[in-house]
């Protein structure tokens, strides 16, 4: 299967991410259809020209037309959808997704999937602190990273196809990680960061802090405006990795705390210098 | 003492903050002089037109000309400077500062100061992740918050003068806090945030993370590029408050960790919703 503009793409789920995919792919000249729950959402996507057609119910004949299916659902809904509806999918179609955790999804889907279908996991590292198709825009992909997470069950051509898809949609970089590597990385870089922001915002009623809040604190807590239903699900699906990352952070934080409590200036400064050095790797990349 | 353009202002210390003050005040038409350690720094300030004149050593006659002295030194250097040189200051001059902690500075300076001089503390909540006069710019004050920290020893006219100074320099908001209120607030909003960023960057050698790092993590850790000498001093000068804020954060973080470990979805979601609600107060202000 080559990436060519004649393939028909079905997006399942038209939230922020599904809507943004739909816009990006329609823009690139693909024929894009969608399945979502609410007529209102579909109407919005049709009006905006994100999709050519769509359905608000499972229509076997409709589903059967598509060569590529992209699932932009909450994790458990994705698994249920495959269990209930995979019999309608066109033979030899390719499936991919946008789910933010991988081990608990990729292996499950691959194990339950019809043998003539192929599922390749992907994680677009893009988003907004807002949910719903009304905030969807392909702009969120520019500058962002698209991670393909193949397993031993994936074919080389599916991996290549999925990488091309990321490039087509306008992601800045496309890379590959195994599902366990992905989950460790995302547990640290994204989930732990969200846990920290949430915990910070739990500390105090912030009304009286607003007048004094500088940019650093705002930056640190922007991601605290979290979709609780989606993120609690993602956290629990990556529970072991996330707990490991939280414990690692707590160990370093406690080390710094004890340095301050003991007034051990030299050890505090050494930690700060190491931290600065680590952070500078990011700047080198930013400057490119 | 009214704020009028005839007063002569001395900036003691020409780092990022002293340099930015100098530029802002010269720009407003004040006669600004400076004392700093290195000739190179003074030359830079003179070339840029940040100051009209300056000295690289303690010159009693020079110091004695100024009506307003602004101290932009590291905390312990500030205290030593007052101890050693306050006899040269013009009678009835006003002194202020930029120090990021207040209880350990304001009361100490006020207690040791000549009775004909008045010191009023201030904290410009502005800065950059860079040090030195070469990065100084009055632009850092626009949109920022200027906090005046009066005590019972301060006169109403000095408080009013200091507030006007913040407005003149282009700060967006000027407010007042007592030194203990200031230190609690800054311990939470600024110092704790820096401790978190530093601890995060200590967790892993970030070289292999660069390719996967999204905006949230970059935002969260930008302030990890910390000046270790200055910040270790500020942390220890606010030790009790900072430890209290770190412990409060750790309590909330542990609560979230345990919710995840126990797979207590309802309690995780409740924490996320409360966090989101607290964070939204900031947005209301941002929208103004």
């Amino acid at each position: 299967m080559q990436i060519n503009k004649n393939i028909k793409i079905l997006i399942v789920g038209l939230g922020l991410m599904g809507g943004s995919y739909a816009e990006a792919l329609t823009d690139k000249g693909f024929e894009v259809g969608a399945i979502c729950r609410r007529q209102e959402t579909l109407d919005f996507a049709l009006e905006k020209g994100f999709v050519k057609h769509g359905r608000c119910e499972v229509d076997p004949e409709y589903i059967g037309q598509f060569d590529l299916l992209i699932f932009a659902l909450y994790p458990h809904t994705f698994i249920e959808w495959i269990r209930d509806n995979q019999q309608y999918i066109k033979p030899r179609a390719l499936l991919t997704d946008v789910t933010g955790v991988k081990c608990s999804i990729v292996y499950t889907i691959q194990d339950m999937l019809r043998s003539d279908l192929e599922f390749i996991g992907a994680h677009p590292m893009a988003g907004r602190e807002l949910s719903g198709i009304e905030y969807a825009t392909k702009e969120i992909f520019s500058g962002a990273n698209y991670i393909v997470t193949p397993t031993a069950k994936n074919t080389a051509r599916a991996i290549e196809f999925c990488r091309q898809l990321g490039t087509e949609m306008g992601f800045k970089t496309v890379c590959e990680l195994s599902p366990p590597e992905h989950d460790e990385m995302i547990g640290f870089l994204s989930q732990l960061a969200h846990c920290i922001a949430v915990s910070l915002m739990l500390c105090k009623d912030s009304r009286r802090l607003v007048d004094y809040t500088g940019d650093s604190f705002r930056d640190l807590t922007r991601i605290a405006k979290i979709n609780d239903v989606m993120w609690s699900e993602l956290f629990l699906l990556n529970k072991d990795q996330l707990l490991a990352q939280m414990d690692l952070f707590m160990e370093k934080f406690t080390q710094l705390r004890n340095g301050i409590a003991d007034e051990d200036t030299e050890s505090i400064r050494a930690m700060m210098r190491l931290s600065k050095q680590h952070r500078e790797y990011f700047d080198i990349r930013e400057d490119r």
Side-chain angles (χ1 to χ4, degrees), chain A:
Chain A
M1 185 172 176
Q2 280 291 347
I3 200 152
N4 71 62
K5 299 297 154 80
N6 299 323
I7 65 163
K8 292 177 76 175
I9 302 177
L10 178 67
I11 312 246
V12 186
L14 283 178
L16 173 74
M17 200 54 69
S20 302
Y21 265 60
E23 188 194 13
L25 293 168
T26 294
D27 242 55
K28 278 286 173 174
F30 292 99
E31 182 177 336
V32 179
I35 294 190
C36 62
R37 253 185 320 202
R38 297 186 316 140
Q39 186 64 44
E40 207 180 310
T41 307
L42 184 56
D43 290 344
F44 184 93
L46 287 164
E47 269 163 41
K48 287 273 177 184
F50 289 176
V51 296
K52 196 170 176 189
H53 38 68
R55 295 288 183 278
C56 286
E57 70 286 304
V58 171
D59 173 344
E61 203 177 327
Y62 184 71
I63 295 170
Q65 314 170 46
F66 295 93
D67 309 293
L68 172 67
L69 291 84
I70 299 170
F71 291 86
L73 299 170
Y74 281 21
H76 76 273
T77 320
F78 176 26
I79 291 170
E80 285 165 15
W81 201 100
I82 294 294
R83 186 193 62 207
D84 297 342
N85 306 308
Q86 62 166 313
Q87 70 268 31
Y88 310 129
I89 299 174
K90 186 175 178 176
R92 297 192 296 142
L94 183 66
L95 285 64
T96 186
D97 72 334
V98 306
T99 319
V101 290
K102 285 296 173 233
C103 287
S104 56
I105 296 299
V106 176
Y107 301 127
T108 310
I109 297 288
Q110 289 187 339
D111 284 346
M112 70 198 282
L113 204 63
R114 271 165 42 198
S115 62
D116 66 315
L117 300 176
E118 178 166 355
F119 171 67
I120 174 135
H123 181 191
M125 285 194 67
R128 300 180 71 179
E129 290 84 45
L130 297 159
S131 315
I133 193 165
E134 57 272 38
Y135 301 107
T137 164
K138 64 186 165 66
E139 301 305 324
I140 58 175
F141 305 143
S142 87
N145 193 12
Y146 184 78
I147 307 174
V148 181
T149 59
T151 71
K153 289 197 173 182
N154 284 115
T155 58
R157 60 177 203 160
I159 297 169
E160 183 48 34
F161 182 92
C162 195
R163 296 185 65 112
Q164 284 178 32
L165 193 71
T167 307
E168 283 281 322
M169 287 191 291
F171 283 88
K172 185 172 146 204
T173 48
V174 173
C175 59
E176 275 173 53
L177 286 176
S178 71
E181 285 169 339
H182 169 276
D183 286 356
E184 183 197 341
M185 189 274 295
I186 220 68
F188 180 69
L189 287 179
S190 170
Q191 296 187 330
L192 172 60
H194 281 80
C195 287
I196 287 172
V198 165
S199 303
L200 258 177
M201 289 319 301
L202 288 174
C203 287
K204 300 188 186 225
D205 181 333
S206 45
R207 255 165 300 201
R208 59 177 213 84
L209 294 176
V210 174
D211 287 330
Y212 311 106
T213 306
D215 287 341
S216 346
F217 195 82
R218 284 183 195 274
D219 284 348
L220 207 59
T221 56
R222 189 157 289 121
I223 53 175
K225 291 187 289 177
I226 204 169
N227 173 334
D228 61 302
V229 178
M230 183 175 79
W231 280 90
S232 57
E233 195 171 326
L234 291 173
F235 280 6
L236 293 181
L237 285 171
N238 201 28
K239 178 184 156 183
D240 293 344
Q241 264 307 332
L242 176 55
L243 290 177
Q245 305 305 328
M246 289 180 88
D247 291 345
L248 175 62
F249 169 75
M250 198 128 53
E251 181 194 320
K252 300 298 178 184
F253 189 79
T254 303
Q255 193 183 326
L256 180 57
R257 187 212 176 278
N258 294 342
I260 295 165
D262 299 342
E263 304 193 8
D264 182 352
T265 307
E266 259 327 295
S267 107
I268 301 171
R269 287 186 184 175
M271 284 185 258
M272 288 176 172
R273 284 191 301 265
L274 181 60
S275 147
K276 186 176 178 177
Q277 180 195 321
H278 282 172
R279 183 59 177 73
E280 278 165 356
Y281 296 132
F282 295 166
D283 295 337
I284 295 162
R285 176 55 64 98
E286 276 167 1
D287 290 345
R288 272 188 199 172

mmCIF file with all atom_site columns, all heavy atoms in Angstrom, chain A residues 44-60:
data_model
loop_
_atom_site.group_PDB
_atom_site.id
_atom_site.type_symbol
_atom_site.label_atom_id
_atom_site.label_alt_id
_atom_site.label_comp_id
_atom_site.label_asym_id
_atom_site.label_entity_id
_atom_site.label_seq_id
_atom_site.pdbx_PDB_ins_code
_atom_site.Cartn_x
_atom_site.Cartn_y
_atom_site.Cartn_z
_atom_site.occupancy
_atom_site.B_iso_or_equiv
_atom_site.pdbx_formal_charge
_atom_site.auth_seq_id
_atom_site.auth_comp_id
_atom_site.auth_asym_id
_atom_site.auth_atom_id
_atom_site.pdbx_PDB_model_num
ATOM 1   N N   . PHE A 1 44 ? -20.736 20.156 12.099 1.00 0.00 ? 44 PHE A N   1
ATOM 2   C CA  . PHE A 1 44 ? -19.643 21.124 12.213 1.00 0.00 ? 44 PHE A CA  1
ATOM 3   C C   . PHE A 1 44 ? -18.500 20.753 11.265 1.00 0.00 ? 44 PHE A C   1
ATOM 4   O O   . PHE A 1 44 ? -17.983 21.587 10.528 1.00 0.00 ? 44 PHE A O   1
ATOM 5   C CB  . PHE A 1 44 ? -19.150 21.175 13.668 1.00 0.00 ? 44 PHE A CB  1
ATOM 6   C CG  . PHE A 1 44 ? -18.092 22.203 13.929 1.00 0.00 ? 44 PHE A CG  1
ATOM 7   C CD1 . PHE A 1 44 ? -18.429 23.477 14.381 1.00 0.00 ? 44 PHE A CD1 1
ATOM 8   C CD2 . PHE A 1 44 ? -16.749 21.914 13.731 1.00 0.00 ? 44 PHE A CD2 1
ATOM 9   C CE1 . PHE A 1 44 ? -17.447 24.438 14.624 1.00 0.00 ? 44 PHE A CE1 1
ATOM 10  C CE2 . PHE A 1 44 ? -15.754 22.861 13.969 1.00 0.00 ? 44 PHE A CE2 1
ATOM 11  C CZ  . PHE A 1 44 ? -16.117 24.123 14.418 1.00 0.00 ? 44 PHE A CZ  1
ATOM 12  N N   . ALA A 1 45 ? -18.127 19.461 11.270 1.00 0.00 ? 45 ALA A N   1
ATOM 13  C CA  . ALA A 1 45 ? -17.014 18.990 10.428 1.00 0.00 ? 45 ALA A CA  1
ATOM 14  C C   . ALA A 1 45 ? -17.349 19.136 8.941  1.00 0.00 ? 45 ALA A C   1
ATOM 15  O O   . ALA A 1 45 ? -16.482 19.472 8.130  1.00 0.00 ? 45 ALA A O   1
ATOM 16  C CB  . ALA A 1 45 ? -16.678 17.540 10.754 1.00 0.00 ? 45 ALA A CB  1
ATOM 17  N N   . LEU A 1 46 ? -18.616 18.904 8.601  1.00 0.00 ? 46 LEU A N   1
ATOM 18  C CA  . LEU A 1 46 ? -19.040 19.046 7.197  1.00 0.00 ? 46 LEU A CA  1
ATOM 19  C C   . LEU A 1 46 ? -19.027 20.514 6.773  1.00 0.00 ? 46 LEU A C   1
ATOM 20  O O   . LEU A 1 46 ? -18.518 20.869 5.706  1.00 0.00 ? 46 LEU A O   1
ATOM 21  C CB  . LEU A 1 46 ? -20.441 18.447 7.007  1.00 0.00 ? 46 LEU A CB  1
ATOM 22  C CG  . LEU A 1 46 ? -20.502 16.906 7.043  1.00 0.00 ? 46 LEU A CG  1
ATOM 23  C CD1 . LEU A 1 46 ? -21.951 16.420 7.246  1.00 0.00 ? 46 LEU A CD1 1
ATOM 24  C CD2 . LEU A 1 46 ? -19.912 16.292 5.766  1.00 0.00 ? 46 LEU A CD2 1
ATOM 25  N N   . GLU A 1 47 ? -19.562 21.355 7.640  1.00 0.00 ? 47 GLU A N   1
ATOM 26  C CA  . GLU A 1 47 ? -19.598 22.795 7.346  1.00 0.00 ? 47 GLU A CA  1
ATOM 27  C C   . GLU A 1 47 ? -18.200 23.376 7.153  1.00 0.00 ? 47 GLU A C   1
ATOM 28  O O   . GLU A 1 47 ? -17.966 24.193 6.265  1.00 0.00 ? 47 GLU A O   1
ATOM 29  C CB  . GLU A 1 47 ? -20.253 23.558 8.507  1.00 0.00 ? 47 GLU A CB  1
ATOM 30  C CG  . GLU A 1 47 ? -21.753 23.730 8.363  1.00 0.00 ? 47 GLU A CG  1
ATOM 31  C CD  . GLU A 1 47 ? -22.385 24.109 9.702  1.00 0.00 ? 47 GLU A CD  1
ATOM 32  O OE1 . GLU A 1 47 ? -21.787 24.939 10.435 1.00 0.00 ? 47 GLU A OE1 1
ATOM 33  O OE2 . GLU A 1 47 ? -23.456 23.553 10.029 1.00 0.00 ? 47 GLU A OE2 1
ATOM 34  N N   . LYS A 1 48 ? -17.286 22.948 8.030  1.00 0.00 ? 48 LYS A N   1
ATOM 35  C CA  . LYS A 1 48 ? -15.920 23.460 7.958  1.00 0.00 ? 48 LYS A CA  1
ATOM 36  C C   . LYS A 1 48 ? -15.144 22.839 6.802  1.00 0.00 ? 48 LYS A C   1
ATOM 37  O O   . LYS A 1 48 ? -14.008 23.238 6.528  1.00 0.00 ? 48 LYS A O   1
ATOM 38  C CB  . LYS A 1 48 ? -15.173 23.139 9.260  1.00 0.00 ? 48 LYS A CB  1
ATOM 39  C CG  . LYS A 1 48 ? -15.606 23.964 10.443 1.00 0.00 ? 48 LYS A CG  1
ATOM 40  C CD  . LYS A 1 48 ? -14.819 25.260 10.490 1.00 0.00 ? 48 LYS A CD  1
ATOM 41  C CE  . LYS A 1 48 ? -15.287 26.134 11.643 1.00 0.00 ? 48 LYS A CE  1
ATOM 42  N NZ  . LYS A 1 48 ? -14.584 27.436 11.641 1.00 0.00 ? 48 LYS A NZ  1
ATOM 43  N N   . GLY A 1 49 ? -15.726 21.812 6.185  1.00 0.00 ? 49 GLY A N   1
ATOM 44  C CA  . GLY A 1 49 ? -15.023 21.142 5.099  1.00 0.00 ? 49 GLY A CA  1
ATOM 45  C C   . GLY A 1 49 ? -13.921 20.207 5.574  1.00 0.00 ? 49 GLY A C   1
ATOM 46  O O   . GLY A 1 49 ? -13.041 19.828 4.809  1.00 0.00 ? 49 GLY A O   1
ATOM 47  N N   . PHE A 1 50 ? -13.955 19.825 6.855  1.00 0.00 ? 50 PHE A N   1
ATOM 48  C CA  . PHE A 1 50 ? -12.939 18.896 7.371  1.00 0.00 ? 50 PHE A CA  1
ATOM 49  C C   . PHE A 1 50 ? -13.132 17.503 6.769  1.00 0.00 ? 50 PHE A C   1
ATOM 50  O O   . PHE A 1 50 ? -12.174 16.762 6.594  1.00 0.00 ? 50 PHE A O   1
ATOM 51  C CB  . PHE A 1 50 ? -13.038 18.764 8.896  1.00 0.00 ? 50 PHE A CB  1
ATOM 52  C CG  . PHE A 1 50 ? -12.599 19.987 9.660  1.00 0.00 ? 50 PHE A CG  1
ATOM 53  C CD1 . PHE A 1 50 ? -12.731 20.012 11.054 1.00 0.00 ? 50 PHE A CD1 1
ATOM 54  C CD2 . PHE A 1 50 ? -12.046 21.095 9.025  1.00 0.00 ? 50 PHE A CD2 1
ATOM 55  C CE1 . PHE A 1 50 ? -12.322 21.123 11.782 1.00 0.00 ? 50 PHE A CE1 1
ATOM 56  C CE2 . PHE A 1 50 ? -11.638 22.211 9.751  1.00 0.00 ? 50 PHE A CE2 1
ATOM 57  C CZ  . PHE A 1 50 ? -11.781 22.227 11.133 1.00 0.00 ? 50 PHE A CZ  1
ATOM 58  N N   . VAL A 1 51 ? -14.403 17.121 6.507  1.00 0.00 ? 51 VAL A N   1
ATOM 59  C CA  . VAL A 1 51 ? -14.701 15.789 5.956  1.00 0.00 ? 51 VAL A CA  1
ATOM 60  C C   . VAL A 1 51 ? -15.661 15.946 4.781  1.00 0.00 ? 51 VAL A C   1
ATOM 61  O O   . VAL A 1 51 ? -16.384 16.944 4.673  1.00 0.00 ? 51 VAL A O   1
ATOM 62  C CB  . VAL A 1 51 ? -15.356 14.856 7.019  1.00 0.00 ? 51 VAL A CB  1
ATOM 63  C CG1 . VAL A 1 51 ? -14.400 14.589 8.169  1.00 0.00 ? 51 VAL A CG1 1
ATOM 64  C CG2 . VAL A 1 51 ? -16.667 15.440 7.533  1.00 0.00 ? 51 VAL A CG2 1
ATOM 65  N N   . LYS A 1 52 ? -15.670 14.906 3.924  1.00 0.00 ? 52 LYS A N   1
ATOM 66  C CA  . LYS A 1 52 ? -16.552 14.939 2.767  1.00 0.00 ? 52 LYS A CA  1
ATOM 67  C C   . LYS A 1 52 ? -17.915 14.358 3.127  1.00 0.00 ? 52 LYS A C   1
ATOM 68  O O   . LYS A 1 52 ? -18.946 14.746 2.583  1.00 0.00 ? 52 LYS A O   1
ATOM 69  C CB  . LYS A 1 52 ? -15.908 14.134 1.629  1.00 0.00 ? 52 LYS A CB  1
ATOM 70  C CG  . LYS A 1 52 ? -16.512 14.403 0.270  1.00 0.00 ? 52 LYS A CG  1
ATOM 71  C CD  . LYS A 1 52 ? -15.695 13.783 -0.843 1.00 0.00 ? 52 LYS A CD  1
ATOM 72  C CE  . LYS A 1 52 ? -16.385 13.993 -2.188 1.00 0.00 ? 52 LYS A CE  1
ATOM 73  N NZ  . LYS A 1 52 ? -15.731 13.220 -3.251 1.00 0.00 ? 52 LYS A NZ  1
ATOM 74  N N   . HIS A 1 53 ? -17.906 13.386 4.027  1.00 0.00 ? 53 HIS A N   1
ATOM 75  C CA  . HIS A 1 53 ? -19.148 12.711 4.426  1.00 0.00 ? 53 HIS A CA  1
ATOM 76  C C   . HIS A 1 53 ? -18.930 12.072 5.786  1.00 0.00 ? 53 HIS A C   1
ATOM 77  O O   . HIS A 1 53 ? -17.790 12.026 6.280  1.00 0.00 ? 53 HIS A O   1
ATOM 78  C CB  . HIS A 1 53 ? -19.550 11.658 3.387  1.00 0.00 ? 53 HIS A CB  1
ATOM 79  C CG  . HIS A 1 53 ? -18.367 10.924 2.805  1.00 0.00 ? 53 HIS A CG  1
ATOM 80  N ND1 . HIS A 1 53 ? -17.585 10.061 3.536  1.00 0.00 ? 53 HIS A ND1 1
ATOM 81  C CD2 . HIS A 1 53 ? -17.821 10.982 1.560  1.00 0.00 ? 53 HIS A CD2 1
ATOM 82  C CE1 . HIS A 1 53 ? -16.610 9.586  2.770  1.00 0.00 ? 53 HIS A CE1 1
ATOM 83  N NE2 . HIS A 1 53 ? -16.719 10.145 1.552  1.00 0.00 ? 53 HIS A NE2 1
ATOM 84  N N   . GLY A 1 54 ? -19.993 11.568 6.370  1.00 0.00 ? 54 GLY A N   1
ATOM 85  C CA  . GLY A 1 54 ? -19.838 10.945 7.677  1.00 0.00 ? 54 GLY A CA  1
ATOM 86  C C   . GLY A 1 54 ? -21.097 10.253 8.136  1.00 0.00 ? 54 GLY A C   1
ATOM 87  O O   . GLY A 1 54 ? -22.153 10.309 7.487  1.00 0.00 ? 54 GLY A O   1
ATOM 88  N N   . ARG A 1 55 ? -20.992 9.576  9.269  1.00 0.00 ? 55 ARG A N   1
ATOM 89  C CA  . ARG A 1 55 ? -22.131 8.879  9.867  1.00 0.00 ? 55 ARG A CA  1
ATOM 90  C C   . ARG A 1 55 ? -22.097 9.073  11.381 1.00 0.00 ? 55 ARG A C   1
ATOM 91  O O   . ARG A 1 55 ? -21.031 9.197  11.968 1.00 0.00 ? 55 ARG A O   1
ATOM 92  C CB  . ARG A 1 55 ? -22.059 7.371  9.596  1.00 0.00 ? 55 ARG A CB  1
ATOM 93  C CG  . ARG A 1 55 ? -22.192 6.948  8.136  1.00 0.00 ? 55 ARG A CG  1
ATOM 94  C CD  . ARG A 1 55 ? -23.615 7.103  7.611  1.00 0.00 ? 55 ARG A CD  1
ATOM 95  N NE  . ARG A 1 55 ? -23.707 6.610  6.235  1.00 0.00 ? 55 ARG A NE  1
ATOM 96  C CZ  . ARG A 1 55 ? -23.365 7.305  5.150  1.00 0.00 ? 55 ARG A CZ  1
ATOM 97  N NH1 . ARG A 1 55 ? -22.903 8.537  5.272  1.00 0.00 ? 55 ARG A NH1 1
ATOM 98  N NH2 . ARG A 1 55 ? -23.487 6.765  3.947  1.00 0.00 ? 55 ARG A NH2 1
ATOM 99  N N   . CYS A 1 56 ? -23.304 9.077  11.969 1.00 0.00 ? 56 CYS A N   1
ATOM 100 C CA  . CYS A 1 56 ? -23.375 9.144  13.429 1.00 0.00 ? 56 CYS A CA  1
ATOM 101 C C   . CYS A 1 56 ? -23.757 7.803  14.034 1.00 0.00 ? 56 CYS A C   1
ATOM 102 O O   . CYS A 1 56 ? -24.064 7.721  15.230 1.00 0.00 ? 56 CYS A O   1
ATOM 103 C CB  . CYS A 1 56 ? -24.350 10.225 13.868 1.00 0.00 ? 56 CYS A CB  1
ATOM 104 S SG  . CYS A 1 56 ? -23.652 11.849 13.629 1.00 0.00 ? 56 CYS A SG  1
ATOM 105 N N   . GLU A 1 57 ? -23.781 6.788  13.185 1.00 0.00 ? 57 GLU A N   1
ATOM 106 C CA  . GLU A 1 57 ? -24.003 5.454  13.747 1.00 0.00 ? 57 GLU A CA  1
ATOM 107 C C   . GLU A 1 57 ? -23.101 4.483  12.989 1.00 0.00 ? 57 GLU A C   1
ATOM 108 O O   . GLU A 1 57 ? -22.530 4.835  11.970 1.00 0.00 ? 57 GLU A O   1
ATOM 109 C CB  . GLU A 1 57 ? -25.483 5.032  13.647 1.00 0.00 ? 57 GLU A CB  1
ATOM 110 C CG  . GLU A 1 57 ? -25.991 4.738  12.250 1.00 0.00 ? 57 GLU A CG  1
ATOM 111 C CD  . GLU A 1 57 ? -26.199 6.007  11.407 1.00 0.00 ? 57 GLU A CD  1
ATOM 112 O OE1 . GLU A 1 57 ? -26.936 6.895  11.847 1.00 0.00 ? 57 GLU A OE1 1
ATOM 113 O OE2 . GLU A 1 57 ? -25.594 6.114  10.301 1.00 0.00 ? 57 GLU A OE2 1
ATOM 114 N N   . VAL A 1 58 ? -22.978 3.272  13.519 1.00 0.00 ? 58 VAL A N   1
ATOM 115 C CA  . VAL A 1 58 ? -22.140 2.281  12.861 1.00 0.00 ? 58 VAL A CA  1
ATOM 116 C C   . VAL A 1 58 ? -22.904 1.768  11.640 1.00 0.00 ? 58 VAL A C   1
ATOM 117 O O   . VAL A 1 58 ? -23.922 1.091  11.772 1.00 0.00 ? 58 VAL A O   1
ATOM 118 C CB  . VAL A 1 58 ? -21.800 1.135  13.832 1.00 0.00 ? 58 VAL A CB  1
ATOM 119 C CG1 . VAL A 1 58 ? -21.114 -0.001 13.075 1.00 0.00 ? 58 VAL A CG1 1
ATOM 120 C CG2 . VAL A 1 58 ? -20.919 1.658  14.946 1.00 0.00 ? 58 VAL A CG2 1
ATOM 121 N N   . ASP A 1 59 ? -22.404 2.146  10.474 1.00 0.00 ? 59 ASP A N   1
ATOM 122 C CA  . ASP A 1 59 ? -23.042 1.762  9.205  1.00 0.00 ? 59 ASP A CA  1
ATOM 123 C C   . ASP A 1 59 ? -22.052 0.834  8.490  1.00 0.00 ? 59 ASP A C   1
ATOM 124 O O   . ASP A 1 59 ? -21.063 1.292  7.916  1.00 0.00 ? 59 ASP A O   1
ATOM 125 C CB  . ASP A 1 59 ? -23.307 3.047  8.401  1.00 0.00 ? 59 ASP A CB  1
ATOM 126 C CG  . ASP A 1 59 ? -23.818 2.760  7.000  1.00 0.00 ? 59 ASP A CG  1
ATOM 127 O OD1 . ASP A 1 59 ? -23.698 1.605  6.522  1.00 0.00 ? 59 ASP A OD1 1
ATOM 128 O OD2 . ASP A 1 59 ? -24.322 3.711  6.368  1.00 0.00 ? 59 ASP A OD2 1
ATOM 129 N N   . PRO A 1 60 ? -22.335 -0.495 8.509  1.00 0.00 ? 60 PRO A N   1
ATOM 130 C CA  . PRO A 1 60 ? -21.374 -1.470 7.972  1.00 0.00 ? 60 PRO A CA  1
ATOM 131 C C   . PRO A 1 60 ? -20.960 -1.161 6.539  1.00 0.00 ? 60 PRO A C   1
ATOM 132 O O   . PRO A 1 60 ? -19.769 -1.235 6.202  1.00 0.00 ? 60 PRO A O   1
ATOM 133 C CB  . PRO A 1 60 ? -22.140 -2.791 8.042  1.00 0.00 ? 60 PRO A CB  1
ATOM 134 C CG  . PRO A 1 60 ? -23.104 -2.601 9.159  1.00 0.00 ? 60 PRO A CG  1
ATOM 135 C CD  . PRO A 1 60 ? -23.518 -1.160 9.096  1.00 0.00 ? 60 PRO A CD  1
#
